[in-house]
Amino acid sequence: MSIRVPRPVVSGIVRAVVAPILSPRVPVPAQRRLLDLAGRTVPAPPGVRRTTEPLGGVPAVRFVAPGAAGPHVVLFLHGGGYVTGSPGSHGSLAGHLSRATGAPVHLLHYRRAPEHPYPAAVDDAHAAYRALRAAGHPAQRIAVVGDSAGGGVALALLLRLRAAGEDLPATVGLISPWLDLDLTGPAVAANAHRDAMLDPRWLADSARAYRAGAPADTPELTPLHADLAGLPPLHVIAGARELLVSDSDALVDRARAAGVPVTYRRAPRMWHDYPIFAGLLAEADAAVAELGAALRRDCAARRPRVAVVGAGFGGIGMGIALREAGYRDAADLTILDRADGVGGVWRDNTYPGAACDVPSHLYSFSFAPGHEWSRRFAPQPDILRYLRRVATEGGLDGHLRLGTEVTEARYDAPTATWRLSTAGGETVEADVLVSACGQLSRPATPALPGLDRFDGPVFHSARWDHDVDLTGKRVAVIGTGASAVQFVPAIADRVGAVTVFQRSAPYLIPKPDRRYRAWHHALFRRVPAWRNAARVGWAAFFEVGALGLTTVQTAAVPFRYAFEGLLRRQVPDAALREKLRPDYPIGCKRLLISSEYLRALARPHVDVVTDPIAEVTANGVRTSDGVEHPADVIIFGTGFATNDFLAPMKVFGPDGQELSEQWRDGARAYLGITVPEFPNLFLLYGPNTNVGSGSVVHMLESQIHYVREAVHRLSAGARSLTVRSEAASAFDSEMQRRLSESVWTGCSSWYRTASGRIVNNWPGLMREYRKRTSRFDPADYHVEPLPAR
Ligand code: NAP
């Protein structure tokens, strides 16, 4: 039978027993011992199991009330002014929390001041949180609770996780959190004699000990001033009579203003940290029960079902990020692709010589270094092998639905559901639709007059027909972009003749390629810093290139010299050199990297034709000057339909409006990711996210992080997220203004629509994009709450 003691009696005991312990006159070791003793007198719920289980090298005790099996867990950061408090003083509360949340509670015995000032406590909390994650607890199933100083540690932990780009816990409980070490809140004076527990002088001493030499504006020490947007739901409890109630008041106001879901129990007549008396005091029991229910609800929050369309770099990266966030069931995460394998463009483009023109250390996921690279600029088979391995190791095999083309996606507002129709007549339902279709997935073949008359094989480079034997054949190549400059030198040796039909000459620079041998791979494996340095170094190189395309165009001058040098060295014939010199600013079309292409064009059996194509005949290609250029095979290297993004998939919003209608004047999206009026739709490698110089995989990782945060926000209690049109139009105006100053306005290219709008490219550095997508800010969105349960 449990006994409840009336509030005035407990308050009297606190004044008589606890308050004198928390006094500057009592030496810290005595405070610790006495508080431990006092804590043990508060009854824990019956049957709680207690086991010592360090977390991440930090001492901790795990409390499990009968039947509290989770699957969620609680990381509990105890109070005690950073100088005292322990599993002894807070064990009873940990037991009550376990019962109320239905989950194991890990009470962390973090290092305390004065021996271990800031940041020791936050470091320990971070290590413990990571250990829980490493033990297989998804962030969406972790609740963090802190009382008093533990509340400060909890909030500092959130800021640290956010800064490190790590997944935040599902929910946070803060009991009388101490957030203002300077004690500037009005309640410090107003409640000086009303708080049964706290003495401001003890708080000031403790703050000094904890802060030690840290600068006054250290964000983790001043969480009240931090940007709170994007934090998980906060459940705050405070006593109206406590010294620190102003901290809770201010936190609740600021968090709400930042769009964070908050519940606040501001209990009249109660003192600091009163829930610690759960088991003795009815008010404390009620507060802990309510907190436990809220934390349990948040941890069991629905996991929005996500459908990802496309299983290339984007879809694979998104899938892995969601798996890491706890997605395990095939029904919750489906990745659809029309092809029968993963890899996207790296599966489709099998033309001879296909390789990446960005070094693979940069053109790969930061979280999954590749050991497949046979060269610095990996050939296509290496990249495809890499993607297949990463997808399998990332646990995606069970989530893939291959050979499934999505033809249409419709949002059903009443149920907040995306309904996808497939070419095979199936319907797939999801709460969130992520398009990972890429910008370069649909080959564009010009409808040249007479093409159907041609007698020989015709194919596009992205659908290479390996059954056609080119040996000794006369090959007409139409197009001189990134694909053609790779396959022309790769086929030149075996064909009888090549005629390259050039509409615009490309700029090229030499390719600093190299073969990677076993010792390179051993080095990359054993000295990850080496590999990381290569990644950072190449990123810096491409960022300089990006400046040359956008704001500091003189940075592109060295590339022009490099092109002229290459042309002079590899093309001895002056007339041919003239043909191969572009008539537009460098970088306006993609700057190409090849040490082989110009050399191949200079060979005697290779001809470059610049007269426009008039028609295709049965035996070749006739140009506007009337000359018929004989050919046995025509290969189109004419690029892709890059401006319509999700097409041919039709996407309909809540009112039946079609996305392509909204994009009639050119595709646009907030951060290239979200579109007004289309709830819970996220685009990867969407409008204005292509880089003229850089790695698209780097950009994708930024988008994936952002989408994962949005999904997390939905899990934490939102039904839908729709970007505000003001945010989207301001972003779009900024893009177009900045792009109008870029080099890309100086010619036509796949970056622009017929009307000249640049819809593909990002006008800044990858770094800027990473920063702008580092945090999902709900203020940019209409957040439709989940209906009350
Ligand atoms: P692209 O850069 O768009 O080049 C298409 C070429 O076809 C251009 O030379 C274009 O001439 C020409 N063309 C288009 N329509 C034509 C027509 N009707 N008549 C005559 N010529 C015509 O396509 P891509 O080479 O396939 O490359 C596209 C993008 O894919 C690249 O920029 C790159 O981002 C990516 N890619 C990357 C790699 C790699 O990493 N190694 C390899 C291949 C592709 P105009 O310039 O006059 O329009």
Side-chain angles (χ1 to χ4, degrees), residues 495-585:
V495 299
V498 188
T499 309
V500 174
F501 292 87
Q502 172 187 283
R503 192 164 68 178
S504 322
Y507 281 100
L508 295 116
I509 55 169
K511 186 172 189 173
D513 204 2
R514 70 182 310 164
R515 179 178 292 285
Y516 279 153
R517 303 188 182 280
W519 70 265
H520 285 103
H521 287 290
L523 183 69
F524 298 147
R525 241 192 337 270
R526 295 203 190 121
V527 191
W530 186 281
R531 197 181 53 221
N532 295 342
R535 190 177 171 90
V536 170
W538 281 113
F541 171 83
F542 282 101
E543 294 283 61
V544 171
L547 281 180
L549 301 174
T550 52
T551 44
V552 190
Q553 289 175 18
T554 45
V557 171
F559 296 116
R560 205 186 155 109
Y561 283 118
F563 167 68
E564 286 295 339
L566 193 67
L567 192 61
R568 220 173 319 110
R569 283 196 306 280
Q570 297 196 340
V571 184
D573 176 31
L576 179 57
R577 274 207 304 270
E578 263 332 287
K579 274 189 189 177
L580 298 177
R581 192 167 278 117
D583 59 359
Y584 53 85

Side-chain angles (χ1 to χ4, degrees), residues 578-598:
E578 263 332 287
K579 274 189 189 177
L580 298 177
R581 192 167 278 117
D583 59 359
Y584 53 85
I586 189 163
C588 183
K589 292 176 195 278
R590 189 173 167 89
L591 175 63
L592 306 182
I593 302 186
S594 171
S595 304
E596 310 298 329
Y597 177 68
L598 293 177

Side-chain angles (χ1 to χ4, degrees), residues 732-745:
D732 183 52
S733 306
E734 179 204 333
M735 290 297 101
Q736 292 307 316
R737 180 183 49 72
R738 290 171 61 182
L739 287 164
S740 70
E741 291 155 13
S742 73
V743 71
W744 299 308
T745 55

Side-chain angles (χ1 to χ4, degrees), residues 346 349 351 354-358 363 440 444 446 448 460-461 478-486 501-504 511 589-590 592 613 637-640 642 685 690 748-751:
W346 294 106
N349 284 268
Y351 59 77
C356 190
D357 54 13
V358 176
Y363 193 83
L440 299 161
L448 298 177
H460 189 283
S461 59
I478 300 174
T480 54
S483 304
V485 305
Q486 292 187 331
F501 292 87
Q502 172 187 283
R503 192 164 68 178
S504 322
K511 186 172 189 173
K589 292 176 195 278
R590 189 173 167 89
L592 306 182
I613 295 169
T638 42
F640 302 87
T642 55
Y685 197 14
N690 179 59
S748 66
S749 70
W750 66 261
Y751 308 147

Side-chain angles (χ1 to χ4, degrees), residues 308-311 334-341 400-407 420-428 649:
V308 180
V309 181
T334 314
I335 305 171
L336 306 111
D337 199 298
R338 64 181 170 216
D340 54 11
L400 290 168
R401 284 187 56 182
L402 301 171
T404 309
E405 182 177 2
V406 179
T407 50
L420 281 55
S421 309
T422 73
E426 295 165 274
T427 303
V428 176
M649 180 167 86

